[in-house]
Amino acid sequence: MKIITTVSELKAEIRAWKKDGFSIGLVPTMGFLHEGHESLIKRAVSENDKVVVSIFVNPIQFGPNEDFESYPRDLNKDAALCEANRVSAVFAPDVAEMYYRDSCTIVDVSYISEPLCGRKRPGHFRGVCTVVSKLFNLTKADRAYFGEKDAQQLAVVKRMVRDLNFDVEVKGCPIVREADGLAKSSRNTYLNEKERAAALVLSRSLFHAREHIRSLEGRTAKAKDVIRMISDEIMNEPMARIDYVEIVDSENLRDADDLKGGILIALAVFIGKTRLIDNIMLEI
């Protein structure tokens, strides 16, 4: 496995792979890899001849007062995990390598990026789409792998690929959870023991909502009632502060009043100072 830190070296490697007819899979990450990332990597390795894992904490997707400087980083550990899973190359550039000093080009996907996290983190998805489009261009990937935990990110990237005619297949991969239900996240490392226990309210409230909807046996549920049920459960946890709880159409991410068809129940909750997200998708 190679660890590549420059654009020129990555381009040369990709050219050689393409010349030999290899298929290429890309797993874009911000590093501090966990079992969720590993599941993406394993799938990519199983479906492609060569796999690139990018490890880059992307500054332009962080807003003011967010955790760019403190975001956890451990390249040595990440590289070991990648090598153990037969990754071909880790691309770990620094910021100056990825963005020219006078860079003035961005990729902005409107509409689908505006609700949910987009409403709370203006500019976030502009940063995501800009860096992901650069990675698509650099790696010439045939397939790219994203986790369904970041459901809006996955939807936004798919729309960008469709609208801009990128020649890459975007693959969504299931959420990986701890044994007690907490969704795997690099930000879980910010939680102390009490906060870690409190964070279980995210998945617990979602699972209770899913059970409630299924118990209706064909009767139509109102989104506002399910949102209230989830919110009440979260607010009963003293360490939790709701950022949002929303139910949207899983395709266009617009509010769903009646729960019909494909729906996404998504939430963002602060546990102490740490903002966590989680979701479930249902077909009704």
Side-chain angles (χ1 to χ4, degrees), residues 201 228 230-242:
V201 74
R228 187 183 307 116
I230 295 170
S231 299
D232 287 347
E233 184 164 359
I234 294 172
M235 287 188 293
N236 281 333
E237 168 51 60
M239 301 188 80
R241 176 169 58 87
I242 294 173

Side-chain angles (χ1 to χ4, degrees), residues 32 34 37 71 149 176 178 182-189 275-277:
F32 214 71
H34 51 65
H37 298 109
Y71 195 86
K149 185 177 80 70
V176 176
E178 304 279 3
L182 184 66
K184 296 275 188 180
S185 171
S186 300
R187 288 189 168 95
N188 291 348
T189 59
R275 184 181 185 271
L276 301 176
I277 60 173

Side-chain angles (χ1 to χ4, degrees), residues 113-122 125 152 244 246 255:
S113 70
E114 292 161 4
L116 303 175
C117 285
R119 188 179 299 123
K120 299 292 183 174
R121 303 180 69 192
F125 288 112
Q152 186 174 16
Y244 68 77
E246 297 191 39
D255 289 344

Side-chain angles (χ1 to χ4, degrees), residues 12-257:
E13 195 71 29
I14 298 299
R15 278 195 299 269
W17 291 347
K18 286 295 184 181
K19 184 178 179 181
D20 289 336
F22 292 133
S23 62
I24 298 173
L26 169 67
V27 183
T29 83
M30 293 207 300
F32 214 71
L33 305 181
H34 51 65
E35 290 91 338
H37 298 109
E38 190 172 23
S39 71
L40 307 183
I41 292 167
K42 286 180 175 179
R43 185 167 172 189
V45 168
S46 73
E47 295 179 354
N48 301 277
D49 300 317
K50 299 289 184 179
V51 171
V52 177
V53 174
S54 64
I55 296 176
F56 179 63
V57 183
N58 179 33
I60 67 170
Q61 70 187 64
F62 288 78
N65 304 315
E66 291 189 341
D67 57 341
F68 172 70
E69 294 297 340
S70 62
Y71 195 86
R73 296 160 169 88
D74 192 337
L75 181 57
N76 290 335
K77 184 179 176 183
D78 292 344
L81 183 148
C82 289
E83 189 159 30
N85 283 282
R86 297 184 294 116
V87 167
S88 309
V90 167
F91 179 49
D94 62 23
V95 173
E97 188 68 23
M98 283 298 282
Y99 296 113
Y100 292 105
R101 238 162 134 189
D102 60 349
S103 178
C104 54
T105 303
I106 59 168
V107 179
D108 194 359
V109 178
S110 62
Y111 187 73
I112 201 168
S113 70
E114 292 161 4
L116 303 175
C117 285
R119 188 179 299 123
K120 299 292 183 174
R121 303 180 69 192
H124 170 70
F125 288 112
R126 186 183 306 127
V128 169
C129 289
T130 300
V131 76
V132 169
S133 65
K134 287 169 72 71
L135 291 169
F136 286 168
N137 186 39
L138 289 169
T139 62
K140 306 293 189 289
D142 298 282
R143 300 170 194 88
Y145 298 81
F146 294 83
E148 291 176 353
K149 185 177 80 70
D150 296 302
Q152 186 174 16
Q153 173 178 274
L154 176 60
V156 168
V157 170
K158 283 184 173 180
R159 187 66 61 91
M160 177 184 75
V161 165
R162 187 202 73 176
D163 291 353
L164 298 183
N165 304 114
F166 279 106
D167 191 17
V168 60
E169 182 181 4
V170 176
K171 301 259 195 174
C173 302
I175 295 172
V176 176
R177 297 183 180 277
E178 304 279 3
D180 56 11
L182 184 66
K184 296 275 188 180
S185 171
S186 300
R187 288 189 168 95
N188 291 348
T189 59
Y190 296 159
L191 304 172
N192 62 35
E193 188 175 345
K194 288 183 179 179
E195 290 170 338
R196 170 65 178 71
L200 294 178
V201 74
L202 279 77
S203 57
R204 187 169 64 243
S205 65
L206 288 171
F207 297 160
H208 287 166
R210 181 172 61 194
E211 291 167 12
H212 171 70
I213 292 168
R214 287 174 174 170
S215 74
L216 295 175
E217 297 179 344
R219 288 172 290 154
T220 303
K222 291 291 185 184
K224 64 180 182 180
D225 297 329
V226 177
I227 290 171
R228 187 183 307 116
M229 184 179 77
I230 295 170
S231 299
D232 287 347
E233 184 164 359
I234 294 172
M235 287 188 293
N236 281 333
E237 168 51 60
M239 301 188 80
R241 176 169 58 87
I242 294 173
D243 192 10
Y244 68 77
V245 177
E246 297 191 39
I247 300 179
V248 297
D249 180 282
S250 59
E251 190 145 328
N252 62 29
L253 304 189
R254 268 8 199 202
D255 289 344
D257 296 324

